Amino acid sequence: MIEDKNQQRTSLGNLGEFGLIAHLTKDIETTQPGTLTGIGDDAAVLDFKDKKVVVSTDLLVEGVHFDLAYMPLKHLGYKAVVVNVSDICAMNAKPTQITVSIAVSNRFPVEALDELYDGIKLAAKIYGVDIVGGDTTSSQKGMILSITALGEANAEAITYRNGAGSTDLLVVTGDVGAAYMGLKVLEREKLVFEVNPQNQPDLDAYSYLIERQLKPEARADIRDILSNLNVKPTSMIDVSDGLSSEIIHLCKNSGVGCNLYEEKIPVDPQLINTCEEFNIDITTVAINGGEDYELLFTIKMEDFEKIKGNPNFTIIGHMTQESEGIHLITRANTKIPLKSRGWNALSEE
């Protein structure tokens, strides 16, 4: 694809902060009954009546969480919404509203922020959440994006990290590891491009992996699926920092141990092929790669028959007494202590 070098570029200074807010939010409508007042006042006004409110915030920083060399701004806006909606889903709640705050340097024209907001608004529409406020400011360098998500649930439906029992089953939705390998492919192609800018990569063999990295989806469907099956998870978390890290979170918060079975971990065939190409161990990627935004949860043993055979779920292990520890059971039936080697934004490595 040839880049249009004559694209219109409107300076942010031409609009000013309030003009920019008005420009970006001019066509945003609210649809949630709980939204009494959205953008345009000092604060949004929400009415949840008898529902409980859940809130989550994520901060995305250029150069730390995303690289605009291969992350289109529309995809970035979409993904920023998804990662917050996923946190609400991980509480077994319904996402309802978001606020959007951005800090940008003067290297970004208004048209770039239009593209970013196109992704934000698309995700908001798909997940049925209202954009009810936020903030804009300048940045000395790069882009910083922060989204706060709100959701609602009945008190008895909310699922925390600390409810797993020592005989519960461990379940994950979808498959894991694909987003990490998508990132590895994109980073490789970036290096190739830097050496030879004329090179046009053929990414057809990695389409699923790249989509999982650039355009993930939150599992907003799982709440209704479980409800229809009459299954109430005992604990739940989303897989953002890696399967091993999330299992350890559940265990530590619930005061239990866990046996995770290597042969049960769901992975996509494209992941298997790409790991072989990169000479990377598949299980290492599956348990340590982050940004899958699948849901990891525990259920009581008696609910096994209700989810057995459901294509949305894979039972990957079971909880144990805390004294037994947290282990990966390999295909060779070897017991290996599970360690947290997932994403750490504060790592100095």
Side-chain angles (χ1 to χ4, degrees):
M1 182 181 294
I2 299 174
E3 183 181 359
D4 182 2
K5 301 296 185 181
N6 299 312
Q7 291 181 3
Q8 180 181 352
R9 290 177 61 87
T10 306
S11 169
L12 298 180
N14 288 351
L15 295 183
E17 179 182 359
F18 299 113
L20 178 62
I21 293 171
H23 173 82
L24 294 175
T25 63
K26 61 182 181 294
D27 58 351
I28 290 176
E29 299 178 353
T30 59
T31 60
Q32 290 290 336
T35 307
L36 299 185
T37 303
I39 297 169
D41 214 309
D42 288 312
V45 180
L46 311 177
D47 179 11
F48 290 90
K49 296 183 173 63
D50 298 328
K51 302 284 187 180
K52 299 299 180 184
V53 180
V54 294
V55 183
S56 179
T57 298
D58 267 304
L59 186 67
L60 300 178
V61 180
E62 184 178 356
V64 177
H65 301 97
F66 61 89
D67 187 339
L68 292 178
Y70 48 73
M71 169 66 82
L73 284 166
K74 185 174 182 179
H75 286 71
L76 175 62
Y78 190 95
K79 183 173 181 176
V81 175
V82 165
V83 302
N84 284 274
V85 166
S86 181
D87 283 334
I88 302 302
C89 296
M91 300 295 293
N92 204 31
K94 175 187 176 183
T96 51
Q97 287 92 4
I98 59 171
T99 65
V100 180
S101 296
I102 53 176
V104 288
S105 68
N106 58 11
R107 92 171 198 261
F108 293 96
V110 171
E111 288 75 18
L113 298 192
D114 280 337
E115 189 178 345
L116 178 75
Y117 254 77
D118 283 344
I120 291 171
K121 289 184 283 190
L122 177 61
K125 180 179 179 181
I126 287 176
Y127 288 99
V129 297
D130 291 339
I131 304 171
V132 297
D135 192 19
T136 60
T137 189
S138 61
S139 168
Q140 289 298 317
K141 61 177 183 177
M143 175 182 289
I144 300 171
L145 178 60
S146 177
I147 291 184
T148 296
L150 297 90
E152 64 176 30
N154 295 323
E156 62 273 14
I158 296 177
T159 305
Y160 301 92
R161 296 180 181 183
N162 62 359
S166 60
T167 60
D168 287 354
L169 299 175
L170 182 66
V171 185
V172 72
T173 64
D175 59 80
V176 293
Y180 174 80
M181 284 311 296
L183 178 62
K184 295 293 287 185
V185 169
L186 291 168
E187 287 179 337
R188 181 186 68 180
E189 296 306 320
K190 177 187 175 182
L191 291 174
V192 172
F193 176 80
E194 289 173 345
V195 173
N196 180 14
Q198 303 305 315
N199 180 71
Q200 293 295 316
D202 182 4
L203 300 176
D204 289 346
Y206 316 106
S207 57
Y208 177 71
L209 307 181
I210 291 172
E211 182 175 7
R212 291 281 279 180
Q213 171 58 219
L214 296 184
K215 188 179 174 290
E217 300 292 351
R219 297 307 304 262
D221 57 327
I222 296 302
R223 175 174 168 269
D224 286 340
I225 292 173
L226 289 174
S227 178
N228 291 335
L229 293 172
N230 195 29
V231 173
K232 167 66 164 65
T234 54
S235 67
M236 184 182 284
I237 193 171
D238 74 331
V239 184
S240 55
D241 297 328
L243 185 64
S244 60
S245 295
E246 315 305 2
I247 290 173
I248 291 171
H249 281 313
L250 290 185
C251 289
K252 288 186 175 180
N253 280 268
S254 297
V256 295
C258 180
N259 285 333
L260 167 68
Y261 291 87
E262 181 182 22
E263 63 183 1
K264 300 293 186 182
I265 300 171
V267 294
D268 188 83
Q270 207 169 90
L271 172 74
I272 297 172
N273 294 336
T274 308
C275 283
E276 291 174 351
E277 177 187 343
F278 277 71
N279 195 26
I280 300 176
D281 182 70
I282 297 166
T283 300
T284 299
V285 171
I287 66 175
N288 295 317
E291 296 193 297
D292 293 304
Y293 301 107
E294 296 293 343
L295 294 178
L296 177 74
F297 59 94
T298 54
I299 61 170
K300 293 184 180 299
M301 190 76 73
E302 52 262 36
D303 285 332
F304 168 74
E305 292 294 333
K306 297 177 183 178
I307 72 164
K308 183 180 67 174
N310 190 300
N312 292 286
F313 308 125
T314 303
I315 299 171
I316 58 174
H318 62 86
M319 314 315 275
T320 64
Q321 294 293 330
E322 186 175 22
S323 58
E324 295 186 32
I326 307 169
H327 293 92
L328 173 70
I329 311 299
T330 70
R331 290 183 176 86
N333 205 31
T334 303
K335 214 170 186 179
I336 301 174
L338 197 64
K339 297 187 182 300
S340 179
R341 293 195 174 97
W343 165 251
N344 178 7
L346 301 180
S347 173
E348 296 181 359
E349 296 181 2

